[in-house]
Amino acid sequence: MGIERAVAELGVLIYPGAQLAAVHGLTDLFGVANRIAAEHQSAQLPLLRVSHWQAEAGHTPQRVYDSHPGPDGTLMALLIPPSIGGFCEGQASAPLIRWLRQQHADGATLGGVCVGSILLAESGLLDGRSATTHWTSAKQFAERYPRVKLNADTPIVDDGDLITTAGLMAWSELGLRLVDRLLGPSIATGTARFLVVEHSDSASQCGSNFAPILSHGDAAILKVQHWLQANGAVEVSLSVMAQQAGLEERTFLRRFRAATGLKPTEYCQHLRVGKAREMLEFTNGTIDHIAWTVGYTDPSAFRATFRKITGLAPSDYRSKFGVSPAAVLAR
């Protein structure tokens, strides 16, 4: 008799011009991860249910493939693959944009590869957020979406509920990020090894990058989580967070911890350290500057918190996982 496992549905969008190699590659990647997870025979590891969603012009996307058919539920994540032909206006239809916004509002993590990042920008979800995109469209992206904080030299920007990647083949790293979140770093590493694809080992050695729980169903708390991701949890207080949620402080504290598994202060620490890890990997800013950028006025407090969460001092983390500017530009 098999072990009963929770199900996490991961949607893959098929829009006009989408790279089908990425659609099927992601499906295979999650299938391999499921197989490796099954070998552990643990009920704590969810089964990854992969669905394909076809976006036709003028229509809301519809499910056209389901790896494990079952009752309809909310998507844990939605991945938007790249397009070899680049972005064209017809890809961002009004029904598709509304649907993307609704999936995000319902708690799905959205991930865009190359043109997928542009579709996320078209939806407005990236306004005020950090993102990356393919180098060939960086100039036009910056001009068209001035409210997005574009980091064109960064291969992947993991902003918790929104993940963007710059390379056409970066769908594999995006998929592995989600495997890391849902099944753990060892299974992500095993999946990458089986497929013989590159995968950053910072997660396996220092714990997964911060992956907020978004599928809890508490709309007031989800609103605050999206707000914290947008402002980087910088200069926030309990009273301000409670106000954002429209709740009394004690009620907010109780519901926030029940929904996310963390106290608001712990949640903000993880969010800030997650952003700091990215900066340490892909930029050459001083550690004090990074501490200030992610919301710490006391660099020593930042160093202590960073070490507590990752097990490494910021300087050691950079030495181990940092990428030189030349290497970043070449990717």
Side-chain angles (χ1 to χ4, degrees), residues 220-221 224-225 227-228 231 233-257 260 262-268 272:
I221 300 304
V224 175
Q225 289 176 273
W227 177 73
L228 288 171
N231 65 27
V234 175
E235 297 182 3
V236 294
S237 65
L238 176 60
S239 61
V240 171
M241 286 187 277
Q243 185 178 11
Q244 284 287 328
L247 299 171
E248 186 269 336
E249 287 187 20
R250 289 180 63 184
T251 303
F252 169 74
L253 271 172
R254 174 176 54 80
R255 284 174 55 177
F256 191 95
R257 188 163 189 176
T260 68
L262 295 169
K263 297 176 182 177
T265 51
E266 295 171 332
Y267 187 95
C268 290
R272 292 171 181 171

Side-chain angles (χ1 to χ4, degrees), residues 55-61 89-102 119 122-123:
E56 301 287 357
H59 298 280
T60 300
E89 296 294 335
Q91 291 167 330
S93 67
L96 172 56
I97 294 302
R98 285 194 297 269
W99 188 75
L100 291 177
R101 294 185 64 85
Q102 186 60 54
L119 286 176
E122 283 285 320
S123 74

